[in-house]
């Protein structure tokens, strides 16, 4: 066999070996990653379903059994989790030029979700906190002892929460505005947003948090 033919045969053999490591165009690693993502999605959905069922059970027990059929109870959506939307963060300073010594506002967008991950109107008490994370490279002796400094908090009672409902082209959520010092939201850095919702119907409690980068 001549040298060019030998090289061609070697390339064909290598191509067969590499192709043999794939199934239907996907490597075994790709298949495993895809299966893992699917399992994670299924587990997350099961957790939401279980949370909603617990909320419904608490409602039925609290009502002392008002005669609701199991089907109606199962079909009635209830808050199963809450999340802080990615739109949350400091609002822009509308003054021209911007005045750094003015107060600023951090708008926190809260989404109560049912067991299927859909927005649901909620009744209860909502508490929101805004903290500034300490920079790890500041090197002060207390830097690791106090990683976050509370900038402000606000609690909405049920009627106040109802008034905080917003719906528009950016989505549907509850908005909580927290005033802070302008100097506390100057970049670079990060804000830690935390929310806790106490459901007045079921008695269940839910929490959420989100990091927001300052730019």
């Amino acid at each position: 066999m001549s040298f060019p033919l030998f090289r061609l045969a070697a390339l064909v053999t290598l191509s067969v070996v590499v192709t043999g490591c794939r199934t239907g165009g996907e490597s075994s690693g790709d298949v495993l990653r895809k299966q893992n993502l699917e399992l994670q999605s299924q587990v997350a959905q099961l957790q939401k379903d279980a949370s909603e069922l617990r909320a419904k059970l608490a409602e039925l027990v609290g009502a002392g059994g008002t005669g609701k059929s199991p089907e109606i109870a199962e079909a009635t959506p209830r808050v199963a989790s809450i999340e802080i939307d990615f739109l949350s963060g400091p609002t822009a300073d509308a003054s021209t030029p911007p005045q750094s010594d003015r107060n600023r506002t951090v708008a926190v967008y809260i989404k109560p979700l049912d067991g299927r991950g859909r927005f649901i109107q909620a009744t209860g008490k909502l508490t929101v906190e805004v903290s500034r994370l300490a920079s790890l490279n500041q090197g002060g002796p207390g830097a690791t002892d106090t990683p976050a400094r509370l900038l402000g908090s606000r609690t909405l009672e049920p009627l106040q929460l109802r008034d905080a409902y917003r719906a528009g082209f950016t989505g549907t959520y509850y908005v909580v505005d927290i005033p802070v010092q302008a100097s506390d939201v100057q970049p670079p850095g990060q804000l830690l947003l935390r929310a806790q919702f106490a459901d007045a119907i079921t008695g269940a409690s839910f929490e959420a948090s989100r990091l927001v980068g300052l730019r």
Side-chain angles (χ1 to χ4, degrees):
M1 179 183 295
S2 64
F3 183 71
L5 290 178
F6 175 78
R7 288 187 59 190
L8 178 60
L11 289 174
V12 171
T13 303
L14 179 60
S15 175
V16 171
V17 171
V18 172
T19 305
C21 295
R22 295 179 174 269
T23 303
E26 293 183 323
S27 69
S28 58
D30 292 336
V31 173
L32 289 176
R33 280 190 292 271
K34 183 177 180 180
Q35 292 175 345
N36 186 40
L37 289 175
E38 291 175 351
L39 288 174
Q40 289 179 358
S41 177
Q42 292 174 6
V43 169
Q45 183 60 53
L46 288 173
Q47 289 175 338
K48 291 179 180 179
D49 290 341
S51 181
E52 186 177 50
L53 287 174
R54 286 194 297 268
K56 291 177 180 179
L57 178 60
E59 180 184 4
L60 291 174
V61 173
T66 56
K68 283 186 178 179
S69 70
E71 182 178 2
I72 292 178
E74 183 178 355
T76 303
R78 286 290 177 260
V79 176
S81 63
I82 64 172
E83 70 176 23
I84 301 176
D85 193 76
F86 72 95
L87 293 174
S88 302
T91 58
D93 189 344
S95 60
T96 306
Q99 301 177 23
S100 60
D101 59 341
R102 292 184 55 185
N103 289 336
R104 294 283 298 277
T105 298
V106 176
V108 184
Y109 298 83
I110 306 295
K111 286 186 174 182
L113 305 174
D114 67 7
R116 298 186 179 182
R118 301 167 179 169
F119 178 89
I120 177 176
Q121 292 193 45
T123 302
K125 181 185 292 187
L126 176 66
T127 299
V128 177
E129 294 181 352
V130 177
S131 300
R132 172 103 188 206
L133 293 184
S135 176
L136 297 180
N137 57 16
Q138 287 178 351
T144 56
D145 295 333
T146 56
R149 177 168 57 91
L150 181 65
L151 303 181
S153 65
R154 190 178 174 192
T155 297
L156 300 186
E157 299 296 334
L159 286 178
Q160 293 174 314
L161 179 62
R162 184 175 184 180
D163 291 337
Y165 174 88
R166 301 289 185 273
F169 69 93
T170 57
T172 306
Y173 30 67
Y174 292 93
V175 181
V176 182
D177 292 326
I178 299 180
V180 299
Q181 294 291 324
S183 58
D184 287 330
V185 292
Q186 293 300 312
Q190 286 183 313
L191 295 181
L192 172 62
L193 310 181
R194 300 180 61 189
Q196 183 180 50
F197 173 68
D199 195 317
I201 297 177
T202 65
S205 181
F206 307 94
E207 295 183 355
S209 61
R210 175 180 283 273
L211 290 176
V212 175
L214 296 174
R215 301 183 181 88

